[in-house]
Amino acid sequence: MPRAPAIDLQEAAQADLWARRHAAPKPHHLGHRERLRERARAGLDPLPDYELLELILFRSIPRGDVKPLAKALLTRFGSLAAVFAASPEALRTVPGVGEAVALDLTLVQEASLRIAREAARKRTVISSWSALLAYVRTALAHEPREQFRVLFLDKKNQLIADEVMNRGTVDHAPVYPREVMRRALELSASALILVHNHPSGDPSPSSADVDMTRQIVEAGRSLRIAIHDHLVVGAGGVASFKALGLL
């Protein structure tokens, strides 16, 4: 029987070294998920926005590198808050976003909105003004179209209801003072806070905003329904008619 050729140990070692040098590189994201989770467990505050977004995307996309998608979403919408506030239809315009991702991101926005609303409800609106401002910013700061809503208050200035009275275009939402007052009477409201947004981002009231507010104030006066304030919300902040001396 022929003898098997002797193995050259040096040659085998060289072959192994060559194989390791020329092996396909491991994906750069290998182990990234666990490393990021470990950092998150140590504290979320130091993490940049794209990494917070990655942690959420991990749940929607079980495998693969989601960092490029997280960064693409932030680039497309401009901020973490704007990503969460975007509609499912707008989210799906970003390559890589499917039904599951769009649903999970909008769930975050809805949860944030309910938490902010609950904080505003716990005390009288006047004594929890900072909570109210946080709520209206969460609800409206990144809305792509104008939305006019009314906060209906009882005699103790507690929130009865927060209702969208009208939705409009990128720069106009029609408002009908009679409809506002009719709804206030239905809810037995004693006072109102008017709220609308400016999709441009600048919350400065326009002359049309001032005129419309005066009409609603006049309509409420005969019914003894007070208008406590009119808040204009934009990505740049919240403008208060009362603080500006316009009410």
Side-chain angles (χ1 to χ4, degrees), residues 5-59:
I7 298 176
D8 187 328
L9 295 179
Q10 184 176 2
E11 182 178 337
Q14 289 176 342
D16 181 62
L17 179 61
W18 184 93
R20 282 188 278 116
R21 283 178 176 174
H22 293 83
K26 294 180 180 180
H28 71 278
H29 61 271
L30 196 65
H32 171 67
R33 290 186 176 222
E34 189 49 43
R35 289 193 297 272
L36 183 52
R37 288 190 181 105
E38 188 64 31
R39 288 171 54 213
R41 283 189 283 268
L44 293 171
D45 190 60
L47 300 182
D49 287 352
Y50 77 87
E51 288 189 333
L52 287 176
L53 196 48
E54 279 188 82
L55 286 165
I56 294 168
L57 293 173
F58 286 171
R59 304 177 188 282

Short mmCIF file of all heavy atoms in Angstrom, two decimals, residues 5-59:
data_model
loop_
_atom_site.label_atom_id
_atom_site.label_comp_id
_atom_site.label_asym_id
_atom_site.label_seq_id
_atom_site.Cartn_x
_atom_site.Cartn_y
_atom_site.Cartn_z
N PRO A 5 1.74 10.90 1.58
CA PRO A 5 2.82 11.88 1.55
C PRO A 5 2.97 12.58 2.88
O PRO A 5 1.98 12.84 3.57
CB PRO A 5 2.39 12.86 0.45
CG PRO A 5 0.90 12.71 0.35
CD PRO A 5 0.63 11.27 0.66
N ALA A 6 4.17 12.83 3.29
CA ALA A 6 4.43 13.52 4.56
C ALA A 6 3.90 14.95 4.51
O ALA A 6 3.95 15.61 3.47
CB ALA A 6 5.94 13.52 4.84
N ILE A 7 3.37 15.41 5.64
CA ILE A 7 2.82 16.77 5.71
C ILE A 7 3.92 17.73 6.09
O ILE A 7 4.62 17.53 7.08
CB ILE A 7 1.69 16.84 6.75
CG1 ILE A 7 0.54 15.91 6.34
CG2 ILE A 7 1.18 18.26 6.93
CD1 ILE A 7 -0.56 15.83 7.36
N ASP A 8 4.09 18.72 5.29
CA ASP A 8 5.09 19.76 5.57
C ASP A 8 4.44 20.78 6.50
O ASP A 8 3.57 21.55 6.08
CB ASP A 8 5.52 20.42 4.26
CG ASP A 8 6.68 21.38 4.47
OD1 ASP A 8 6.75 22.00 5.56
OD2 ASP A 8 7.49 21.54 3.56
N LEU A 9 4.84 20.74 7.78
CA LEU A 9 4.21 21.61 8.77
C LEU A 9 4.40 23.09 8.45
O LEU A 9 3.50 23.90 8.66
CB LEU A 9 4.76 21.31 10.16
CG LEU A 9 4.45 19.91 10.70
CD1 LEU A 9 5.08 19.72 12.06
CD2 LEU A 9 2.94 19.69 10.77
N GLN A 10 5.57 23.44 7.94
CA GLN A 10 5.83 24.84 7.60
C GLN A 10 4.92 25.29 6.46
O GLN A 10 4.36 26.39 6.48
CB GLN A 10 7.30 25.03 7.21
CG GLN A 10 7.64 26.50 6.94
CD GLN A 10 9.13 26.68 6.64
OE1 GLN A 10 9.88 25.70 6.60
NE2 GLN A 10 9.53 27.90 6.43
N GLU A 11 4.75 24.41 5.49
CA GLU A 11 3.90 24.73 4.34
C GLU A 11 2.44 24.88 4.78
O GLU A 11 1.73 25.78 4.34
CB GLU A 11 4.02 23.62 3.30
CG GLU A 11 3.19 23.90 2.04
CD GLU A 11 3.36 22.79 1.01
OE1 GLU A 11 4.38 22.09 1.05
OE2 GLU A 11 2.46 22.65 0.18
N ALA A 12 2.02 23.99 5.72
CA ALA A 12 0.65 24.06 6.21
C ALA A 12 0.41 25.35 6.98
O ALA A 12 -0.65 25.98 6.86
CB ALA A 12 0.36 22.86 7.11
N ALA A 13 1.41 25.75 7.76
CA ALA A 13 1.28 26.98 8.53
C ALA A 13 1.18 28.19 7.61
O ALA A 13 0.40 29.12 7.84
CB ALA A 13 2.45 27.13 9.49
N GLN A 14 1.96 28.18 6.54
CA GLN A 14 1.92 29.28 5.58
C GLN A 14 0.58 29.34 4.86
O GLN A 14 0.02 30.42 4.62
CB GLN A 14 3.07 29.14 4.58
CG GLN A 14 4.45 29.40 5.17
CD GLN A 14 5.55 29.15 4.17
OE1 GLN A 14 5.34 28.48 3.15
NE2 GLN A 14 6.74 29.69 4.46
N ALA A 15 0.06 28.15 4.55
CA ALA A 15 -1.23 28.10 3.87
C ALA A 15 -2.33 28.64 4.78
O ALA A 15 -3.23 29.36 4.34
CB ALA A 15 -1.54 26.66 3.45
N ASP A 16 -2.24 28.30 6.07
CA ASP A 16 -3.25 28.78 7.02
C ASP A 16 -3.18 30.29 7.17
O ASP A 16 -4.19 30.97 7.24
CB ASP A 16 -3.02 28.09 8.37
CG ASP A 16 -4.05 28.53 9.41
OD1 ASP A 16 -5.25 28.28 9.18
OD2 ASP A 16 -3.65 29.13 10.42
N LEU A 17 -1.95 30.81 7.22
CA LEU A 17 -1.76 32.25 7.34
C LEU A 17 -2.32 32.97 6.12
O LEU A 17 -2.98 33.99 6.22
CB LEU A 17 -0.27 32.57 7.51
CG LEU A 17 0.09 34.06 7.62
CD1 LEU A 17 -0.58 34.67 8.84
CD2 LEU A 17 1.61 34.23 7.70
N TRP A 18 -2.07 32.39 4.94
CA TRP A 18 -2.57 33.00 3.70
C TRP A 18 -4.10 33.01 3.72
O TRP A 18 -4.74 34.00 3.35
CB TRP A 18 -2.07 32.20 2.50
CG TRP A 18 -2.46 32.83 1.18
CD1 TRP A 18 -1.75 33.68 0.42
CD2 TRP A 18 -3.71 32.63 0.47
NE1 TRP A 18 -2.44 34.05 -0.70
CE2 TRP A 18 -3.65 33.41 -0.70
CE3 TRP A 18 -4.83 31.87 0.72
CZ2 TRP A 18 -4.69 33.46 -1.62
CZ3 TRP A 18 -5.87 31.92 -0.20
CH2 TRP A 18 -5.79 32.71 -1.36
N ALA A 19 -4.70 31.90 4.17
CA ALA A 19 -6.16 31.80 4.20
C ALA A 19 -6.77 32.84 5.13
O ALA A 19 -7.80 33.45 4.82
CB ALA A 19 -6.57 30.39 4.63
N ARG A 20 -6.13 33.06 6.30
CA ARG A 20 -6.66 34.03 7.24
C ARG A 20 -6.54 35.46 6.71
O ARG A 20 -7.41 36.29 6.93
CB ARG A 20 -5.96 33.89 8.60
CG ARG A 20 -6.49 32.70 9.39
CD ARG A 20 -5.95 32.64 10.81
NE ARG A 20 -4.62 32.04 10.88
CZ ARG A 20 -3.52 32.66 11.26
NH1 ARG A 20 -3.58 33.93 11.61
NH2 ARG A 20 -2.36 32.05 11.31
N ARG A 21 -5.43 35.71 6.00
CA ARG A 21 -5.21 37.06 5.46
C ARG A 21 -6.20 37.37 4.34
O ARG A 21 -6.61 38.52 4.16
CB ARG A 21 -3.78 37.20 4.93
CG ARG A 21 -2.74 37.38 6.02
CD ARG A 21 -1.36 37.47 5.42
NE ARG A 21 -0.33 37.73 6.44
CZ ARG A 21 0.96 37.74 6.19
NH1 ARG A 21 1.42 37.48 4.96
NH2 ARG A 21 1.82 38.00 7.16
N HIS A 22 -6.57 36.35 3.58
CA HIS A 22 -7.41 36.57 2.42
C HIS A 22 -8.87 36.17 2.65
O HIS A 22 -9.66 36.17 1.71
CB HIS A 22 -6.85 35.81 1.21
CG HIS A 22 -5.54 36.37 0.74
ND1 HIS A 22 -4.34 36.02 1.33
CD2 HIS A 22 -5.24 37.28 -0.23
CE1 HIS A 22 -3.35 36.66 0.72
NE2 HIS A 22 -3.88 37.43 -0.22
N ALA A 23 -9.21 35.84 3.88
CA ALA A 23 -10.60 35.49 4.17
C ALA A 23 -11.49 36.73 4.03
O ALA A 23 -11.04 37.86 4.22
CB ALA A 23 -10.71 34.94 5.59
N ALA A 24 -12.74 36.51 3.68
CA ALA A 24 -13.68 37.62 3.55
C ALA A 24 -13.80 38.35 4.89
O ALA A 24 -13.94 37.70 5.92
CB ALA A 24 -15.05 37.10 3.12
N PRO A 25 -13.69 39.67 4.89
CA PRO A 25 -13.77 40.40 6.16
C PRO A 25 -15.15 40.24 6.80
O PRO A 25 -16.16 40.14 6.13
CB PRO A 25 -13.55 41.86 5.73
CG PRO A 25 -13.93 41.90 4.28
CD PRO A 25 -13.58 40.56 3.72
N LYS A 26 -15.15 40.18 8.11
CA LYS A 26 -16.41 40.07 8.83
C LYS A 26 -17.16 41.40 8.74
O LYS A 26 -16.55 42.47 8.71
CB LYS A 26 -16.15 39.73 10.30
CG LYS A 26 -15.56 38.35 10.51
CD LYS A 26 -15.33 38.09 11.99
CE LYS A 26 -14.74 36.70 12.20
NZ LYS A 26 -14.50 36.41 13.64
N PRO A 27 -18.48 41.33 8.65
CA PRO A 27 -19.25 42.59 8.59
C PRO A 27 -18.90 43.49 9.76
O PRO A 27 -18.76 43.04 10.89
CB PRO A 27 -20.71 42.11 8.68
CG PRO A 27 -20.68 40.68 8.25
CD PRO A 27 -19.33 40.15 8.67
N HIS A 28 -18.75 44.80 9.47
CA HIS A 28 -18.32 45.73 10.51
C HIS A 28 -19.34 45.84 11.64
O HIS A 28 -19.02 46.23 12.75
CB HIS A 28 -18.07 47.12 9.90
CG HIS A 28 -19.32 47.82 9.49
ND1 HIS A 28 -19.95 47.58 8.29
CD2 HIS A 28 -20.07 48.75 10.13
CE1 HIS A 28 -21.01 48.34 8.20
NE2 HIS A 28 -21.12 49.05 9.29
N HIS A 29 -20.62 45.48 11.31
CA HIS A 29 -21.65 45.62 12.34
C HIS A 29 -21.79 44.37 13.20
O HIS A 29 -22.63 44.35 14.10
CB HIS A 29 -23.00 45.93 11.68
CG HIS A 29 -23.47 44.85 10.74
ND1 HIS A 29 -23.15 44.83 9.41
CD2 HIS A 29 -24.24 43.76 10.98
CE1 HIS A 29 -23.71 43.77 8.85
NE2 HIS A 29 -24.38 43.11 9.77
N LEU A 30 -20.95 43.35 12.94
CA LEU A 30 -21.05 42.13 13.72
C LEU A 30 -20.79 42.44 15.20
O LEU A 30 -19.76 43.00 15.56
CB LEU A 30 -20.03 41.10 13.21
CG LEU A 30 -20.26 39.65 13.66
CD1 LEU A 30 -21.55 39.12 13.07
CD2 LEU A 30 -19.10 38.77 13.21
N GLY A 31 -21.73 42.11 16.04
CA GLY A 31 -21.60 42.39 17.46
C GLY A 31 -22.01 43.80 17.86
O GLY A 31 -22.03 44.13 19.05
N HIS A 32 -22.34 44.64 16.85
CA HIS A 32 -22.67 46.04 17.14
C HIS A 32 -23.93 46.15 17.99
O HIS A 32 -24.01 46.97 18.91
CB HIS A 32 -22.84 46.81 15.83
CG HIS A 32 -23.39 48.19 16.01
ND1 HIS A 32 -22.69 49.20 16.64
CD2 HIS A 32 -24.59 48.74 15.66
CE1 HIS A 32 -23.42 50.31 16.67
NE2 HIS A 32 -24.58 50.05 16.08
N ARG A 33 -24.90 45.31 17.69
CA ARG A 33 -26.17 45.39 18.42
C ARG A 33 -25.96 45.17 19.91
O ARG A 33 -26.48 45.91 20.74
CB ARG A 33 -27.17 44.39 17.87
CG ARG A 33 -27.67 44.75 16.48
CD ARG A 33 -28.78 43.83 16.02
NE ARG A 33 -29.30 44.26 14.73
CZ ARG A 33 -30.58 44.28 14.40
NH1 ARG A 33 -31.49 43.90 15.28
NH2 ARG A 33 -30.97 44.68 13.21
N GLU A 34 -25.20 44.13 20.25
CA GLU A 34 -25.00 43.83 21.66
C GLU A 34 -24.16 44.92 22.34
O GLU A 34 -24.41 45.29 23.48
CB GLU A 34 -24.35 42.46 21.84
CG GLU A 34 -24.30 41.99 23.29
CD GLU A 34 -25.65 42.11 24.01
OE1 GLU A 34 -26.69 41.76 23.41
OE2 GLU A 34 -25.66 42.56 25.17
N ARG A 35 -23.17 45.44 21.61
CA ARG A 35 -22.36 46.52 22.19
C ARG A 35 -23.22 47.76 22.46
O ARG A 35 -23.08 48.41 23.50
CB ARG A 35 -21.20 46.87 21.24
CG ARG A 35 -20.11 45.81 21.17
CD ARG A 35 -18.87 46.35 20.48
NE ARG A 35 -19.12 46.72 19.09
CZ ARG A 35 -19.03 45.89 18.06
NH1 ARG A 35 -18.68 44.61 18.26
NH2 ARG A 35 -19.26 46.30 16.82
N LEU A 36 -24.12 48.07 21.51
CA LEU A 36 -24.97 49.24 21.69
C LEU A 36 -25.96 49.01 22.83
O LEU A 36 -26.22 49.92 23.64
CB LEU A 36 -25.72 49.55 20.39
CG LEU A 36 -26.62 50.79 20.39
CD1 LEU A 36 -25.87 52.02 20.88
CD2 LEU A 36 -27.19 51.04 19.00
N ARG A 37 -26.52 47.83 22.92
CA ARG A 37 -27.42 47.52 24.04
C ARG A 37 -26.70 47.64 25.38
O ARG A 37 -27.26 48.13 26.37
CB ARG A 37 -28.00 46.11 23.88
CG ARG A 37 -29.02 45.97 22.77
CD ARG A 37 -29.71 44.63 22.83
NE ARG A 37 -30.67 44.46 21.76
CZ ARG A 37 -30.48 43.69 20.68
NH1 ARG A 37 -29.34 43.02 20.56
NH2 ARG A 37 -31.41 43.59 19.76
N GLU A 38 -25.43 47.19 25.42
CA GLU A 38 -24.66 47.28 26.65
C GLU A 38 -24.45 48.73 27.05
O GLU A 38 -24.58 49.10 28.22
CB GLU A 38 -23.31 46.58 26.45
CG GLU A 38 -22.48 46.44 27.71
CD GLU A 38 -23.14 45.55 28.76
OE1 GLU A 38 -23.87 44.62 28.37
OE2 GLU A 38 -22.95 45.82 29.96
N ARG A 39 -24.14 49.58 26.08
CA ARG A 39 -23.98 51.01 26.37
C ARG A 39 -25.30 51.62 26.81
O ARG A 39 -25.34 52.48 27.69
CB ARG A 39 -23.45 51.73 25.14
CG ARG A 39 -21.99 51.41 24.83
CD ARG A 39 -21.56 51.97 23.49
NE ARG A 39 -21.85 53.38 23.40
CZ ARG A 39 -22.18 54.00 22.26
NH1 ARG A 39 -22.29 53.32 21.14
NH2 ARG A 39 -22.40 55.29 22.26
N ALA A 40 -26.41 51.18 26.20
CA ALA A 40 -27.73 51.69 26.57
C ALA A 40 -28.08 51.31 28.01
O ALA A 40 -28.67 52.11 28.73
CB ALA A 40 -28.79 51.17 25.61
N ARG A 41 -27.70 50.11 28.41
CA ARG A 41 -27.98 49.67 29.78
C ARG A 41 -27.22 50.53 30.79
O ARG A 41 -27.67 50.71 31.93
CB ARG A 41 -27.62 48.19 29.94
CG ARG A 41 -28.66 47.24 29.35
CD ARG A 41 -28.37 45.80 29.73
NE ARG A 41 -27.28 45.24 28.96
CZ ARG A 41 -27.44 44.56 27.81
NH1 ARG A 41 -28.66 44.38 27.31
NH2 ARG A 41 -26.41 44.06 27.18
N ALA A 42 -26.10 51.07 30.38
CA ALA A 42 -25.32 51.92 31.28
C ALA A 42 -25.89 53.34 31.36
O ALA A 42 -25.53 54.11 32.25
CB ALA A 42 -23.87 51.98 30.81
N GLY A 43 -26.78 53.69 30.43
CA GLY A 43 -27.39 55.02 30.44
C GLY A 43 -27.70 55.50 29.04
O GLY A 43 -26.82 55.45 28.16
N LEU A 44 -28.94 55.96 28.82
CA LEU A 44 -29.36 56.37 27.48
C LEU A 44 -28.95 57.79 27.13
O LEU A 44 -28.78 58.13 25.97
CB LEU A 44 -30.88 56.24 27.35
CG LEU A 44 -31.44 54.81 27.39
CD1 LEU A 44 -32.96 54.86 27.48
CD2 LEU A 44 -31.01 54.03 26.16
N ASP A 45 -28.79 58.63 28.13
CA ASP A 45 -28.56 60.05 27.88
C ASP A 45 -27.34 60.34 27.00
O ASP A 45 -27.40 61.22 26.14
CB ASP A 45 -28.44 60.81 29.21
CG ASP A 45 -28.44 62.31 29.01
OD1 ASP A 45 -29.44 62.83 28.48
OD2 ASP A 45 -27.44 62.96 29.38
N PRO A 46 -26.21 59.63 27.16
CA PRO A 46 -25.05 59.95 26.33
C PRO A 46 -25.18 59.52 24.88
O PRO A 46 -24.37 59.94 24.03
CB PRO A 46 -23.90 59.17 27.00
CG PRO A 46 -24.40 58.79 28.35
CD PRO A 46 -25.88 58.63 28.19
N LEU A 47 -26.16 58.68 24.54
CA LEU A 47 -26.26 58.17 23.18
C LEU A 47 -26.76 59.25 22.22
O LEU A 47 -27.70 59.96 22.52
CB LEU A 47 -27.22 56.98 23.12
CG LEU A 47 -26.88 55.76 23.97
CD1 LEU A 47 -27.93 54.67 23.75
CD2 LEU A 47 -25.50 55.23 23.64
N PRO A 48 -26.13 59.37 21.05
CA PRO A 48 -26.63 60.32 20.05
C PRO A 48 -27.98 59.86 19.50
O PRO A 48 -28.37 58.70 19.66
CB PRO A 48 -25.55 60.30 18.97
CG PRO A 48 -24.86 59.00 19.12
CD PRO A 48 -24.93 58.66 20.57
N ASP A 49 -28.68 60.77 18.83
CA ASP A 49 -30.03 60.47 18.34
C ASP A 49 -30.06 59.25 17.43
O ASP A 49 -30.99 58.43 17.51
CB ASP A 49 -30.59 61.68 17.59
CG ASP A 49 -30.98 62.81 18.54
OD1 ASP A 49 -30.95 62.60 19.77
OD2 ASP A 49 -31.30 63.91 18.05
N TYR A 50 -29.07 59.11 16.55
CA TYR A 50 -29.14 58.01 15.60
C TYR A 50 -29.01 56.66 16.31
O TYR A 50 -29.59 55.66 15.85
CB TYR A 50 -28.08 58.16 14.49
CG TYR A 50 -26.67 57.82 14.87
CD1 TYR A 50 -26.18 56.51 14.78
CD2 TYR A 50 -25.78 58.81 15.31
CE1 TYR A 50 -24.87 56.20 15.13
CE2 TYR A 50 -24.49 58.51 15.66
CZ TYR A 50 -24.03 57.19 15.57
OH TYR A 50 -22.74 56.88 15.91
N GLU A 51 -28.31 56.62 17.44
CA GLU A 51 -28.19 55.36 18.16
C GLU A 51 -29.47 55.03 18.92
O GLU A 51 -29.85 53.85 19.03
CB GLU A 51 -26.98 55.39 19.08
CG GLU A 51 -25.66 55.33 18.32
CD GLU A 51 -24.44 55.15 19.19
OE1 GLU A 51 -24.48 55.56 20.38
OE2 GLU A 51 -23.43 54.62 18.69
N LEU A 52 -30.15 56.04 19.45
CA LEU A 52 -31.46 55.79 20.06
C LEU A 52 -32.42 55.24 19.01
O LEU A 52 -33.19 54.31 19.27
CB LEU A 52 -32.03 57.08 20.64
CG LEU A 52 -31.40 57.60 21.94
CD1 LEU A 52 -32.02 58.93 22.32
CD2 LEU A 52 -31.59 56.60 23.06
N LEU A 53 -32.35 55.81 17.82
CA LEU A 53 -33.21 55.34 16.74
C LEU A 53 -32.83 53.91 16.33
O LEU A 53 -33.71 53.09 16.06
CB LEU A 53 -33.07 56.29 15.55
CG LEU A 53 -34.13 56.23 14.45
CD1 LEU A 53 -35.54 56.22 15.02
CD2 LEU A 53 -33.94 57.39 13.49
N GLU A 54 -31.54 53.61 16.33
CA GLU A 54 -31.11 52.24 16.05
C GLU A 54 -31.73 51.25 17.03
O GLU A 54 -32.20 50.17 16.64
CB GLU A 54 -29.59 52.13 16.15
CG GLU A 54 -28.81 52.60 14.94
CD GLU A 54 -27.34 52.26 15.10
OE1 GLU A 54 -26.97 51.11 14.82
OE2 GLU A 54 -26.57 53.15 15.53
N LEU A 55 -31.73 51.59 18.31
CA LEU A 55 -32.26 50.69 19.33
C LEU A 55 -33.73 50.37 19.07
O LEU A 55 -34.19 49.24 19.30
CB LEU A 55 -32.10 51.30 20.71
CG LEU A 55 -30.67 51.31 21.26
CD1 LEU A 55 -30.55 52.26 22.44
CD2 LEU A 55 -30.22 49.91 21.66
N ILE A 56 -34.47 51.36 18.60
CA ILE A 56 -35.87 51.12 18.26
C ILE A 56 -35.98 50.27 17.00
O ILE A 56 -36.80 49.34 16.92
CB ILE A 56 -36.60 52.46 18.09
CG1 ILE A 56 -36.66 53.20 19.43
CG2 ILE A 56 -38.01 52.27 17.53
CD1 ILE A 56 -37.10 54.63 19.33
N LEU A 57 -35.13 50.56 16.02
CA LEU A 57 -35.16 49.80 14.76
C LEU A 57 -34.76 48.34 14.95
O LEU A 57 -35.17 47.48 14.17
CB LEU A 57 -34.27 50.47 13.73
CG LEU A 57 -34.73 51.85 13.24
CD1 LEU A 57 -33.65 52.49 12.35
CD2 LEU A 57 -36.04 51.75 12.48
N PHE A 58 -33.95 48.06 15.98
CA PHE A 58 -33.58 46.66 16.27
C PHE A 58 -34.84 45.80 16.41
O PHE A 58 -34.85 44.63 16.06
CB PHE A 58 -32.78 46.57 17.56
CG PHE A 58 -31.36 47.05 17.47
CD1 PHE A 58 -30.59 47.19 18.63
CD2 PHE A 58 -30.78 47.37 16.26
CE1 PHE A 58 -29.28 47.64 18.57
CE2 PHE A 58 -29.47 47.83 16.18
CZ PHE A 58 -28.71 47.95 17.35
N ARG A 59 -35.89 46.38 16.99
CA ARG A 59 -37.10 45.61 17.26
C ARG A 59 -37.92 45.39 16.00
O ARG A 59 -38.65 44.41 15.89
CB ARG A 59 -37.93 46.33 18.33
CG ARG A 59 -37.13 46.56 19.59
CD ARG A 59 -37.88 47.34 20.65
NE ARG A 59 -36.98 47.67 21.75
CZ ARG A 59 -36.59 46.82 22.69
NH1 ARG A 59 -37.03 45.58 22.68
NH2 ARG A 59 -35.77 47.19 23.65
#
